[in-house]
């Protein structure tokens, strides 16, 4: 595995100083499309620039790099999906497309516990961080959102997973 180094675009701030979130999400998109097999141990297994997807040839059945986005106020981006029982909000995404001036279409991912059951991450209108700790898996939803990546200051890659998007 190798870490991809991309130049940082400093032409756009969107409230932040470097606009690097756009570059990271572009890299995630490219890595999701690549099928490279290399063997190395990364220093940080959730580094957004680690390739190939899955981190090693033994995990080659992955099609998605799950990530979160944080705005300049330190708030996680939230997206809605069709759910039940008040469970219809997620902070987890998959990049589907990047276009124009760093706009992206993101698929909202359903947070699941280790048994594959949906995790309700909102409580009284606020993110329940304890519930986020219970998230171990992700499911695909049919909900997508379009965002301006210049509006975010941080991207955190969480895991590489197989959502079986083409099954």
């Amino acid at each position: 595995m190798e870490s991809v180094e991309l130049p940082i675009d400093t032409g756009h701030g969107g409230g932040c100083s470097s606009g690097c979130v756009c570059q990271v999400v572009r890299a995630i998109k490219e890595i999701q499309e690549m099928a490279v097999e290399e063997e190395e141990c990364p220093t940080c297994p959730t580094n957004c620039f680690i390739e190939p997807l899955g981190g090693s040839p033994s995990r080659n059945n992955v099609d998605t790099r799950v990530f979160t986005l944080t705005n300049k106020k330190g708030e996680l981006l939230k997206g809605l999906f069709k759910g039940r029982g008040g469970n219809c909000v997620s902070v987890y995404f998959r990049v589907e497309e990047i276009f124009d001036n760093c706009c992206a279409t993101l698929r909202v991912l359903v947070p699941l516990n280790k048994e594959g059951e949906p995790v309700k991450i909102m409580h009284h209108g606020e993110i329940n961080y304890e519930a986020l700790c219970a998230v171990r898996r992700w499911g695909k939803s049919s909900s997508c959102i379009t965002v301006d990546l210049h509006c975010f200051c941080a991207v955190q890659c969480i895991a590489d997973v197989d959502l079986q998007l083409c099954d």
Side-chain angles (χ1 to χ4, degrees):
M1 250 168 310
E2 67 184 57
S3 181
V4 175
E5 296 296 327
L6 294 177
I8 301 300
D9 174 12
T10 58
H12 300 283
C16 299
S17 59
S18 69
C20 65
V21 169
C22 182
Q23 299 298 330
V24 173
V25 176
R26 280 188 195 280
I28 292 170
K29 176 70 173 151
E30 290 175 15
I31 292 166
Q32 285 178 171
E33 293 174 346
M34 292 173 57
V36 178
E37 293 189 13
E38 298 176 15
E39 290 187 51
E40 286 183 28
C41 293
T43 56
C44 180
T46 58
N47 178 345
C48 293
F49 295 109
I50 297 294
E51 1 175 70
L53 207 60
S56 72
S58 64
R59 293 212 42 215
N60 60 1
N61 292 338
V62 296
D63 58 15
T64 298
R65 181 156 287 168
V66 179
F67 65 95
T68 62
L69 291 171
T70 305
N71 68 20
K72 65 182 178 180
K73 294 180 182 179
E75 301 164 336
L76 289 170
L77 173 66
K78 295 176 279 302
L80 301 175
F81 61 91
K82 289 185 178 184
R84 295 188 307 251
N87 183 27
C88 61
V89 179
S90 180
V91 296
Y92 302 103
F93 302 95
R94 176 191 200 277
V95 62
E96 295 291 332
E97 186 177 350
I98 299 176
F99 53 94
D100 291 338
N101 193 18
C102 269
C103 290
T105 299
L106 308 178
R107 181 183 300 265
V108 181
L109 302 180
V110 179
L112 305 171
N113 63 20
K114 64 183 178 181
E115 289 83 25
E117 299 165 349
V119 175
K120 184 176 177 182
I121 65 167
M122 298 296 290
H123 184 69
H124 298 298
E126 299 289 328
I127 294 175
N128 178 345
Y129 288 94
E130 190 171 321
L132 286 180
C133 293
V135 176
R136 294 289 183 267
R137 298 168 58 190
W138 296 267
K140 59 186 170 188
S141 81
S142 59
S143 299
C144 291
I145 61 174
T146 301
V147 298
D148 180 344
L149 294 171
H150 292 122
C151 297
F152 301 97
C153 295
V155 57
Q156 182 177 7
C157 291
I158 306 298
D160 291 350
V161 300
D162 183 10
L163 294 179
Q164 301 174 347
L165 290 171
C166 296
D167 293 349

